[in-house]
Amino acid sequence: MGTMTATYTAKMTDGPLQGKTITTTFLDSGDPQPRIEIPADAGKRYLYARGSGLEFEGSDASGRPSAVEYRYLEALLS
């Protein structure tokens, strides 16, 4: 049987992707990603940093959040 990678929902709270969500994976340590780069048009990427908002759903025995808030930092150009 293969291993299952734990995922959570990243919620963009401001910036150009405000209101959008993506599914992403936890770090090997079990923590949410500290920063997320999201590809956009023409080689642009949006950089978001983890905020303080966490949501927990159901009775997840791992204690990990089901959703994490992310705040806009900057647009990166390739």
Side-chain angles (χ1 to χ4, degrees), residues 1-69:
M1 217 182 254
T3 60
M4 185 173 158
T5 303
T7 62
Y8 65 96
T9 301
K11 296 183 170 188
M12 308 314 144
T13 60
D14 60 1
L17 301 178
Q18 181 176 358
K20 304 287 185 191
T21 62
I22 63 167
T23 300
T24 191
T25 58
F26 288 96
L27 297 172
D28 290 340
S29 66
D31 295 322
Q33 301 282 338
R35 293 180 178 211
I36 298 175
E37 282 189 27
I38 302 168
D41 296 334
K44 184 189 296 185
R45 301 176 320 273
Y46 295 120
L47 180 61
Y48 278 78
R50 188 172 69 203
S52 60
L54 302 173
E55 293 180 19
F56 295 87
E57 183 178 295
S59 58
D60 183 1
S62 71
R64 294 182 200 165
S66 57
V68 177
E69 166 189 292

